[in-house]
Amino acid sequence: MRKLFYTLTAILAFATPMIQAQQFPWNAYFGGEGADFVTDIKQTTDNGFIIAGYGGENNSTKFAVLRIDQFGDLMWQQLINKDNYAEKAFNILITAENEFIVVGSATSGNRPWLVKLNQDGELIWTTTWTDQAPFNSALLSRGTLLPDGRIVVIGAEGQYGLQPNMFLVAADGQLIEQRSLVPVVPPGWLSGTFVNHIEPTADGGFILTGSAGSGTASRAFLWKFDASADSTWVQHYTNSEAWMRSAEHVTQLADGGYLLTGIDAPNGNNSCVIRTD
């Protein structure tokens, strides 16, 4: 197994009811030297955690994936590169078979790159169509799984990534289709629709959130898709009582509504929350 030579730090404090309380909280630190980032973490079926991120040195970054148990002890770690230049993992998904799909970008053109690992961290496949994808189409890419096993990857289009873009990927990593999405606001000079988070919903579809507009006039949005990855509705929070400039995360609530968390307008000095039906 390959070693993780770069610093990937996870400071966690979780409590699991089946574990004796005196064993919590705990801190876990992994890696070596270098500037690195954790971007996503999910709990696994054994009450441990799978962590994704990226790190590197000398202007080169690579996917970093770690699995830890419920006590914070390292089970395995992987450092994965495509072309040894600019791989960045932004999201990790857990399949129905408890395997892991890492979603991120690769190459100097910020194109989508996906990697699938088994429970032991062994490589199953990587996507081979990355180099043919449009420039900047995986800026801050995010992913989710559909009920039929397809993978949805949301990225961007254009030189500045002002318009959202979707890739539908088969369970074996092959590209099915690419869709240009109709943006929440028309793209213009530094005005666009930026997706910050994607979350699966109880109906088998998914919800997007982020920021749409230009500069300090940007406002948060919610964008709903069904289980076929088709858009069903979008809500842009531009009324005078909505001061969220950018939504960074969305959670579906038990009653079917949504909770958005983000920063306020115009300067993003404060955290804020929007509760919807």
Side-chain angles (χ1 to χ4, degrees), residues 13-218:
F14 297 96
T16 304
M18 295 183 297
I19 308 302
Q20 296 180 357
Q22 64 264 27
Q23 295 173 312
F24 293 93
W26 48 259
N27 293 332
Y29 299 87
F30 308 101
E33 298 179 355
D36 304 86
F37 306 91
V38 169
T39 55
D40 198 12
I41 181 170
K42 298 280 194 319
Q43 189 164 30
T44 51
T45 55
D46 60 358
N47 293 318
F49 301 91
I50 187 74
I51 302 168
Y54 61 93
E57 56 188 13
N58 299 324
N59 298 318
S60 174
T61 59
K62 299 174 176 63
F63 282 13
V65 187
L66 298 90
R67 186 172 181 180
I68 60 177
D69 65 18
Q70 56 197 327
F71 304 109
D73 294 324
L74 182 66
M75 298 173 64
W76 51 259
Q77 55 188 359
Q78 281 282 29
L79 189 69
I80 310 165
N81 70 286
K82 176 184 177 294
D83 51 22
N84 200 33
Y85 186 75
E87 294 84 19
K88 295 180 180 179
F90 298 117
N91 200 193
I92 192 159
L93 312 174
I94 303 177
T95 71
E97 299 76 29
N98 292 316
E99 294 175 327
F100 309 109
I101 297 172
V102 189
V103 180
S105 65
T107 78
S108 59
N110 294 311
R111 295 174 170 90
W113 192 45
L114 282 68
V115 171
K116 187 173 185 179
L117 305 172
N118 66 17
Q119 294 188 51
D120 298 319
E122 297 168 336
L123 188 66
I124 298 176
W125 52 252
T126 68
T127 48
T128 58
W129 43 269
T130 294
D131 293 337
Q132 286 71 53
F135 181 80
N136 271 351
S137 55
L139 281 173
L140 296 178
S141 57
R142 301 289 187 266
T144 192
L145 292 166
L146 296 176
D148 60 7
R150 288 181 299 163
I151 308 156
V152 176
V153 178
I154 302 294
E157 280 189 3
Q159 182 177 0
Y160 301 104
L162 300 178
Q163 181 169 328
N165 179 71
M166 177 190 293
F167 294 92
L168 289 175
V169 183
D172 62 358
Q174 298 301 309
L175 180 63
I176 300 172
E177 66 172 301
Q178 178 190 351
R179 298 180 186 176
S180 296
L181 302 178
V182 177
V184 177
V185 297
W189 175 246
L190 297 182
S191 175
T193 301
F194 305 94
V195 176
N196 294 329
H197 184 66
I198 179 171
E199 184 77 6
T201 51
D203 60 0
F206 56 94
I207 193 93
L208 307 179
T209 196
S211 178
S214 176
T216 57
S218 297

